[in-house]
C-alpha cells in the first residue's frame, strides 16, 4: 500500500496522472429498442483498478469541498449522499401540490448523449469559477486530456481512440464532473428545475393556459440557449410535457410549445402518449399512477409464474431470497409516490403480493396470508408503503436527509410551540383541494408520520427506529383475530389438508 499511497500523494501535489490511469475499456450496454441499432447501446467505461481507487480519493475531496461551501444546486438529486431517484419525482409532485390553485406544466427534457457531450474546456472554466486553481485545476486538466479508450465487443477489440469530449460513464469521477457541468443550469431560467443526473424536469404554473403558454415558450428559449452555450444537444423528439390540474373541459384546448423548430409532444389520456417515464416512475396527467402500477403488476406476474413453477424445486430460503431481490425491491421503489393512489388501483398489487407470498411459503392458492406474512417477516403492501413514508418522515424530522428534500414539510413545534399537537412531534398537514393531490409526499408523508406513536417518533437512531416500526406492524398481525367466517373455503381446505 505504501507505493500506491506515495504515487497518489505525488499526483495530488503535482497534478500529474499516469497515462496508464487514463485508458478505458468500453463495453456497450443495451438499453432498449432494436438490438441492431447502435444508438440503443450505452457505452460503459471500465477503468483500471488503481485508477478507480485514485478517483475515489479525488471524488471524496471534491464532494467535501462542494458540500462545505454549499456549492451544489438544490435542484440536483442525483449522485448525492442520502438522495434517490424517487426524491426528484417527489419534489416535482410537491411543487404541483403547492400550486394546486393553478394550472401546472411539467416539461421533461431529453439530452442527447449527455455524458459524452461534456466540453472539457467549458468544464475546466466552471471548475475554476468554483475555486479550483493551482495543482487542483492542473489535476483535473490532466484527468480530462490525453485520455484513450478502446471498444471490446465479445472479445473483438478496436484500436485506441483519443477522447476529445465527455466524461467516462462507469468511472467514479464522471458522474460528479457531470453534476458540476450542469450545476448552474437552474439559474439560467425561471423554471423550477428537478435534476437527477441527466434526467431534467422543468416546472411552471399559471392561472390561465394562454399566459402559461407564453411564459413557458419564453423560458424554453432560454433553456435552449443555455444548452447551446454549453455545447449540449437537446432531443426535441423525445422531450415531452404534461399539463396538470386541468378541468376536463379544458383538456381538449390546444397547447403547443416549441423547442427549436419542433413542437413538443404532449402527454395526456387523449393522446398516443399516456404517460412519461421520469427516473423509472410513470407519471400521468391525473397523478393516478395507474400506468406505473400496471407496469409493476406486469413484472410481479412474471415473477409469480416462476415462483409457482419452482415452489416444489427450490428450498424455502431460496424462494425467500428471490422474494427480497425481485419482489420487495420492485414494490418498494417509488412506493412513497404510488402508494397514495386510489385503493381500487392498488388492489391488484395486494392480490399479486398475496399470491407470491403463498408460493414462497408453499401453501394452497387460497390460504389465509396473515400468519404467512408474520412467519416470513414480510410486510403487507399497505404497511410496506406506510413504513417507507414513515422512514422518510423520520429522515426529515431528525434532519438526516439533505436540505433540498426536507424543504416542504413544517414541524408543528416550530409553528405552535407548546401546544398539545406540537408535543406529539407532528408535522403540519397542508390543505388538500383534490383527491389527485393526495399522492404528493408533502401530504402523504406527514399524514403517515402523525399517526405514529410519540415514543417511536422520538427514536433518533434510524436502524433502531426501523426495527421498532416493523415490530409494531408485526404485533398488529399477531393480534389480528382468526377467521370465523362460516363455510370459509380456505379454512375448510386447511382443516382437510391437516387431517
Amino acid at each position: 500500500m505504501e507505493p500506491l499511497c506515495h504515487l497518489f500523494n505525488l499526483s495530488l501535489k503535482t497534478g500529474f496522472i499516469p497515462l496508464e490511469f487514463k485508458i478505458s475499456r468500453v463495453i456497450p450496454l443495451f438499453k432498449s429498442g432494436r438490438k441492431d441499432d447502435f444508438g440503443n447501446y450505452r457505452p460503459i467505461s471500465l477503468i483500471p483498478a488503481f485508477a478507480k481507487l485514485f478517483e475515489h480519493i479525488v471524488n471524496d475531496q471534491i464532494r467535501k469541498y462542494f458540500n462545505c461551501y454549499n456549492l451544489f444546486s438544490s435542484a440536483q438529486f442525483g449522485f448525492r449522499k442520502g438522495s434517490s431517484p424517487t426524491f426528484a419525482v417527489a419534489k416535482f409532485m410537491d411543487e404541483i401540490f403547492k400550486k394546486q390553485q393553478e394550472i401546472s406544466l411539467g416539461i421533461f427534457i431529453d439530452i442527447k448523449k449527455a455524458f459524452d457531450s461534456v466540453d472539457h474546456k467549458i468544464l475546466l472554466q466552471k471548475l475554476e469559477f468554483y475555486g479550483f486553481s493551482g495543482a487542483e485545476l492542473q489535476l483535473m486538466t490532466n484527468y480530462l486530456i490525453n485520455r484513450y479508450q478502446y471498444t471490446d465487443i465479445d472479445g473483438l477489440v478496436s484500436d485506441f481512440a483519443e477522447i476529445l469530449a465527455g466524461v467516462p460513464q462507469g468511472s467514479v469521477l464522471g458522474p460528479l464532473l457531470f453534476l458540476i457541468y450542469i450545476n448552474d443550469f437552474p439559474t439560467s431560467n425561471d423554471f423550477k428545475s428537478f435534476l437527477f443526473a441527466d434526467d431534467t424536469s422543468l416546472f411552471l404554473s399559471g392561472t390561465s393556459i394562454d399566459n402559461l403558454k407564453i411564459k413557458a415558450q419564453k423560458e424554453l428559449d432560454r433553456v435552449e440557449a443555455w444548452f447551446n452555450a454549453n455545447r449540449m444537444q437537446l432531443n426535441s423528439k423525445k422531450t415531452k410535457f404534461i399539463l396538470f390540474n386541468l378541468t376536463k373541459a379544458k383538456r381538449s384546448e390546444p397547447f403547443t410549445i416549441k423547442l427549436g423548430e419542433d413542437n413538443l409532444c404532449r402527454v395526456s389520456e387523449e393522446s398516443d402518449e399516456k404517460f412519461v417515464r421520469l427516473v423509472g416512475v410513470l407519471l400521468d396527467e391525473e397523478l393516478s399512477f395507474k400506468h406505473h402500477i400496471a407496469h409493476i403488476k406486469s413484472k410481479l406476474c412474471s415473477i409469480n409464474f416462476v415462483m409457482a413453477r419452482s415452489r416444489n424445486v427450490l428450498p424455502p430460503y431460496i424462494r425467500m431470497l428471490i422474494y427480497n431481490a425481485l419482489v420487495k425491491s420492485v414494490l418498494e421503489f417509488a412506493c412513497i409516490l404510488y402508494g397514495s393512489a386510489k385503493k381500487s388501483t392498488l388492489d391488484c398489487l395486494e392480490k399479486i403480493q398475496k399470491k407470491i407470498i403463498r408460493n414462497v411459503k408453499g401453501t394452497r392458492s387460497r390460504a389465509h396470508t396473515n400468519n404467512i406474512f408474520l412467519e416470513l417477516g414480510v410486510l403487507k403492501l399497505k404497511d410496506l408503503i406506510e413504513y417507507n413514508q414513515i422512514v422518510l418522515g423520520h429522515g426529515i424530522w431528525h434532519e438526516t436527509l439533505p436540505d433540498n428534500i426536507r424543504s416542504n414539510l413544517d414541524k408543528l413545534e416550530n409553528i405552535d410551540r407548546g401546544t398539545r399537537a406540537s408535543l406529539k412531534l407532528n408535522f403540519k398537514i397542508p390543505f388538500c383541494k383534490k383527491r389527485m393531490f393526495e399522492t404528493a409526499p408533502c401530504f402523504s408523508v406527514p399524514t403517515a408520520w402523525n399517526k405514529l406513536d410519540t415514543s417511536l417518533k422520538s427514536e433518533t437512531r434510524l436502524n433502531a427506529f426501523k426495527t421498532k416500526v416493523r415490530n409494531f406492524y408485526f404485533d398488529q398481525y399477531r393480534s389480528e383475530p382468526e377467521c370465523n367466517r362460516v363455510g370459509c373455503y380456505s379454512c375448510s381446505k386447511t382443516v382437510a389438508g391437516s387431517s
Side-chain angles (χ1 to χ4, degrees), residues 74-75 91-92 95 98 105 186 189-194 201-204 407:
S74 61
K91 301 303 288 185
F92 180 85
E95 204 63 32
K98 288 195 294 184
L105 168 68
N189 56 80
D190 288 339
F191 282 114
K192 185 79 174 178
S193 302
F194 302 91
S201 309
L202 308 176
F203 175 87
L204 195 66
S407 58

Side-chain angles (χ1 to χ4, degrees), residues 86 292 296 299-300 303 321-335 338 384 388:
T86 306
H292 185 79
I296 295 175
K299 283 185 175 182
L300 296 185
I303 298 168
L321 286 175
I322 294 173
Y323 178 88
N324 288 327
L326 302 180
V327 179
K328 182 185 175 185
S329 59
V330 170
L331 287 174
E332 277 197 311
F333 178 74
C335 70
Y338 77 78
L384 182 68
N388 280 275

Side-chain angles (χ1 to χ4, degrees), residues 25 221 241 320 457-458:
R25 179 169 71 97
D221 293 340
F241 73 92
M320 195 63 216
K457 288 188 280 191
S458 60

Side-chain angles (χ1 to χ4, degrees), residues 83-145:
S83 189
S84 78
T86 306
F87 292 157
V89 190
K91 301 303 288 185
F92 180 85
M93 292 177 61
D94 285 350
E95 204 63 32
I96 298 174
F97 185 95
K98 288 195 294 184
K99 302 294 183 180
Q100 55 184 299
Q101 303 291 342
E102 302 177 4
I103 301 168
S104 296
L105 168 68
I107 303 176
F108 309 96
I109 299 289
D110 186 88
I111 309 172
K112 290 182 179 177
K113 306 296 182 184
F115 278 67
D116 298 328
S117 57
V118 170
D119 186 276
H120 291 168
K121 184 178 179 181
I122 295 175
L123 174 58
L124 290 171
Q125 289 174 346
K126 293 189 178 188
L127 288 171
E128 190 172 6
F129 171 79
Y130 288 121
F132 283 61
S133 62
E136 294 81 12
L137 187 61
Q138 180 60 35
L139 181 74
M140 300 317 300
T141 304
N142 204 292
Y143 176 81
L144 294 170
I145 65 172

Side-chain angles (χ1 to χ4, degrees), residues 223-475:
V223 167
E224 186 180 15
W226 185 91
F227 278 97
N228 289 338
N230 286 271
R231 299 185 180 180
M232 301 182 80
Q233 286 186 300
L234 296 176
N235 191 343
S236 57
K237 301 294 183 184
K238 292 184 178 181
T239 297
K240 303 171 184 179
F241 73 92
I242 300 180
L243 288 171
F244 300 97
N245 201 25
L246 273 178
T247 61
K248 290 186 178 180
K250 291 186 177 181
R251 287 181 186 177
S252 58
E253 291 185 17
F255 189 99
T256 56
I257 47 178
K258 287 188 174 184
L259 190 58
E261 298 299 322
D262 299 319
N263 289 332
L264 296 186
C265 172
R266 178 176 174 180
V267 175
S268 69
E269 288 298 324
E270 287 75 29
S271 67
D272 294 335
E273 299 281 349
K274 308 293 183 185
F275 59 85
V276 66
R277 186 184 296 271
L278 180 58
V279 289
V281 180
L282 309 188
L283 278 181
D284 60 88
E285 64 178 341
E286 296 179 348
L287 299 178
S288 66
F289 288 98
K290 59 184 180 182
H291 301 288
H292 185 79
I293 290 172
H295 178 64
I296 295 175
K297 180 185 176 183
S298 176
K299 283 185 175 182
L300 296 185
C301 284
S302 301
I303 298 168
N304 184 51
F305 175 80
V306 175
M307 295 286 281
R309 289 299 183 96
S310 61
R311 56 186 283 180
N312 296 323
V313 179
L314 298 176
Y317 78 94
I318 294 294
R319 298 201 296 270
M320 195 63 216
L321 286 175
I322 294 173
Y323 178 88
N324 288 327
L326 302 180
V327 179
K328 182 185 175 185
S329 59
V330 170
L331 287 174
E332 277 197 311
F333 178 74
C335 70
I336 62 169
L337 306 177
Y338 77 78
S340 298
K342 293 180 180 178
K343 186 179 183 304
S344 57
T345 309
L346 279 171
D347 279 346
C348 64
L349 294 187
E350 290 187 0
K351 291 177 182 177
I352 191 68
Q353 186 197 26
K354 288 181 179 180
K355 288 181 180 179
I356 295 173
I357 212 71
R358 289 185 186 109
N359 285 323
V360 171
K361 176 62 178 173
T363 61
R364 293 178 178 274
S365 61
R366 292 178 63 178
H368 293 304
T369 56
N370 183 70
N371 289 334
I372 302 176
F373 280 107
L374 181 59
E375 181 182 345
L376 297 179
V378 173
L379 293 177
K380 301 174 185 178
L381 178 63
K382 65 181 182 62
D383 297 328
L384 182 68
I385 293 167
E386 191 174 69
Y387 167 80
N388 280 275
Q389 291 171 338
I390 289 170
V391 169
L392 178 58
H394 181 274
I396 296 172
W397 183 273
H398 295 287
E399 300 181 357
T400 57
L401 292 175
D403 292 341
N404 58 348
I405 299 166
R406 310 195 317 259
S407 58
N408 285 348
L409 295 186
D410 295 320
K411 298 178 181 179
L412 279 176
E413 65 176 15
N414 296 332
I415 301 170
D416 302 315
R417 190 174 298 276
T419 64
R420 184 179 299 178
S422 67
L423 294 176
K424 291 183 178 180
L425 309 183
N426 285 346
F427 286 114
K428 178 184 177 182
I429 299 179
F431 171 73
C432 186
K433 182 182 177 182
K434 295 181 181 178
R435 172 65 182 83
M436 66 174 285
F437 296 127
E438 292 182 6
T439 54
C442 65
F443 180 86
S444 61
V445 170
T447 301
W449 172 266
N450 289 0
K451 292 190 296 184
L452 204 61
D453 188 81
T454 308
S455 61
L456 291 176
K457 288 188 280 191
S458 60
E459 175 58 69
T460 58
R461 297 168 300 165
L462 180 59
N463 288 335
F465 174 78
K466 288 181 176 180
T467 301
K468 289 180 180 179
V469 173
R470 287 177 63 86
N471 290 337
F472 168 76
Y473 287 119
F474 292 139
D475 288 340

Side-chain angles (χ1 to χ4, degrees), residues 146-197:
N146 296 327
R147 293 192 71 91
Y148 292 88
Q149 66 181 24
Y150 64 95
T151 305
D152 186 348
I153 303 177
D154 296 331
L156 297 177
V157 179
S158 71
D159 294 331
F160 283 91
E162 186 176 2
I163 302 172
L164 302 177
V167 290
Q169 297 188 59
S171 66
V172 178
L173 272 178
L176 175 60
L177 294 178
F178 182 81
L179 294 193
I180 296 172
Y181 194 78
I182 65 170
N183 196 49
D184 62 319
F185 167 74
T187 62
S188 68
N189 56 80
D190 288 339
F191 282 114
K192 185 79 174 178
S193 302
F194 302 91
L195 312 176
F196 189 88

